[in-house]
Amino acid sequence: MDSPGLTTSRLGRFLASRWMLYVPVMSLALIVAGGAWYGYGEYQRRERAAAESRKPRPVINPLSQTFPGQIRPQKTVQVAVPVAGTLESLEVSDGEEVIEGQLLARILNSGLAAAKQRAVEELDRAKGRVSELESQVLAARLEASRASADMARVRIEYETASRAYDRQQKLFREGATARRSYEKAEVDYRKLLEENKSLEETAARSEAAVKRLHGAVDEARGREAEKAAELEDADDQLLSGEVKAPVSGVITGHSKNAGDEVTRDIGALFEIATDLTAMEAVVEVPEVVGKKLMVGGRAFVQISEAGEAPVNGVIREVKDGKAVVEFLSPNAGVKPGMSAQVRFLAGE
């Protein structure tokens, strides 16, 4: 509550009459002062920023940086696909040591498998024909042997009958024997003559059959040999689907997995490293760095598996945003596919 003395005094009435005027004026003065203070602070900040921007910045040498890279062997052998087909199985894994001639994978070619099956069937038929003809030869030889034995027996009887007939004929002419004896001797002689002739023809036919069957057997055996050769070729073709290591080394990668279709134009099916002492690191480098690198320049290769000391390297190639640094592996723990940190040495 206002004091009655103050509000009724001359001073109180004067202040009361001007209070509504002072409040807006004071508020405006405060706003102007605050804006001026903010403006001055903003001016100071901009001046400092401008001064900082005018200061010379230190130039960072890009070669002082380290760049990540991946290790790979320098010397590798690419194993191509020998025959098109389905990759039936992989017999080795990446990182595995292999020796020359070791089986790496099997490729199934349905056409070659069908050709082998046909060759097997044809060889079986050829063998069956040879066996059948050999049985016929045995039977023909047995028949010829019987015919020859019968012919020998009948020839003896025929010769005996011939002599008896000649004797009876002579005696009959002289009247020294009865007609009945003469006629009987003649009948026996002529019967054995026909029988001997028939057996000679039978023996000749048997010998001819044996000779003919021998020729058929020889022909069948020749066909059997041809089919055996075809089967061997089919086996060789199927064996060509066995991918074997051309050299000894370590498998560093493969391009297809079991069940995949493969053709001869896919490139390398396997990659084998033949020397794990000669290694290299492939590094992606910015353009500004690539321009400063030269073939033959030096670099440090840091590999965690090789210990804390970096390995000396030499730039072999700079191309397409990548640098290849050669180095000698310090120990057997460094494997293809490992990561490395590479620092290039300026002016080296």
Side-chain angles (χ1 to χ4, degrees):
M1 177 180 284
D2 296 334
S3 173
L6 180 60
T7 57
T8 57
S9 67
R10 183 178 294 178
L11 178 59
R13 289 195 301 270
F14 175 78
L15 291 175
S17 64
R18 286 165 174 73
W19 180 253
M20 295 303 292
L21 176 63
Y22 292 150
V23 170
V25 172
M26 291 176 66
S27 298
L28 180 59
L30 290 172
I31 292 173
V32 172
W37 180 260
Y38 175 79
Y40 179 74
E42 184 67 16
Y43 169 77
Q44 292 283 2
R45 187 186 65 78
R46 290 182 180 178
E47 283 296 314
R48 287 194 298 270
E52 287 292 328
S53 65
R54 287 192 294 269
K55 289 181 180 180
R57 295 179 178 272
V59 178
I60 300 176
N61 184 357
L63 297 185
S64 65
Q65 304 176 54
T66 59
F67 301 91
Q70 189 172 44
I71 297 173
R72 71 185 185 189
Q74 293 182 34
K75 300 175 182 178
T76 60
V77 173
Q78 309 296 316
V79 183
V81 175
V83 63
T86 303
L87 190 58
E88 189 174 19
S89 65
L90 287 174
E91 305 297 328
V92 294
S93 304
D94 291 354
E96 183 176 339
E97 292 188 10
V98 296
I99 60 174
E100 183 178 352
Q102 181 176 338
L103 182 65
L104 305 180
R106 285 188 174 88
I107 298 174
L108 176 63
N109 184 295
S110 57
L112 295 179
K116 179 182 177 179
Q117 182 60 34
R118 288 194 299 271
V120 169
E121 293 172 356
E122 291 177 359
L123 178 59
D124 287 342
R125 285 195 291 270
K127 287 181 176 180
R129 179 59 176 165
V130 169
S131 179
E132 178 185 355
L133 289 172
E134 287 177 341
S135 297
Q136 292 180 15
V137 167
L138 291 175
R141 281 178 177 173
L142 180 61
E143 183 179 351
S145 178
R146 288 172 180 170
S148 179
D150 289 343
M151 186 177 66
R153 175 182 56 77
V154 170
R155 181 172 290 155
I156 293 173
E157 293 177 357
Y158 164 72
E159 290 175 353
T160 301
S162 177
R163 287 194 297 271
Y165 173 63
D166 289 342
R167 182 171 176 277
Q168 288 294 328
Q169 189 179 34
K170 183 178 179 181
L171 291 174
F172 181 72
R173 289 193 188 115
E174 295 175 355
T177 186
R179 175 176 290 275
R180 181 177 298 175
S181 298
Y182 163 70
E183 290 177 350
K184 182 179 181 304
E186 183 180 12
V187 169
D188 291 342
Y189 163 73
R190 295 192 179 283
K191 178 181 177 183
L192 289 170
L193 176 64
E194 291 298 325
E195 187 175 358
N196 182 64
K197 182 179 179 181
S198 176
L199 286 174
E200 285 180 346
E201 292 175 352
T202 299
R205 285 195 301 270
S206 297
E207 289 297 331
V210 170
K211 185 176 181 179
R212 175 178 56 79
L213 287 172
H214 271 302
V217 168
D218 291 340
E219 183 179 351
R221 284 175 177 167
R223 184 166 179 79
E224 179 185 359
E226 290 177 2
K227 296 305 176 183
E230 290 178 5
L231 178 57
E232 185 175 353
D233 289 341
D235 281 332
D236 290 341
Q237 289 292 326
L238 282 179
L239 287 176
S240 69
E242 293 186 349
V243 185
K244 296 184 178 181
V247 294
S248 298
V250 176
I251 300 293
T252 57
H254 64 281
S255 59
K256 295 291 183 178
N257 295 313
D260 292 344
E261 295 295 320
V262 294
T263 58
R264 292 187 176 183
D265 58 359
I266 67 169
L269 182 58
F270 291 94
E271 182 182 73
I272 300 177
T274 58
D275 183 4
L276 292 184
T277 59
M279 307 290 275
E280 60 189 24
V282 182
V283 186
E284 292 189 6
V285 294
E287 183 178 358
V288 64
V289 175
K291 290 180 179 179
K292 294 179 178 290
L293 301 180
M294 296 185 62
V295 174
R298 292 182 57 203
F300 283 151
V301 181
Q302 186 75 55
I303 310 167
S304 59
E305 289 80 3
E308 296 182 359
V311 180
N312 289 319
V314 177
I315 300 173
R316 178 174 66 83
E317 179 182 83
V318 182
K319 184 179 179 182
D320 298 331
K322 293 183 179 179
V324 180
V325 178
E326 295 179 337
F327 65 93
L328 294 178
S329 175
N331 57 57
V334 178
K335 301 292 185 182
M338 288 182 174
S339 298
Q341 294 294 323
V342 178
R343 182 167 67 86
F344 301 101
L345 303 183
E348 295 288 340

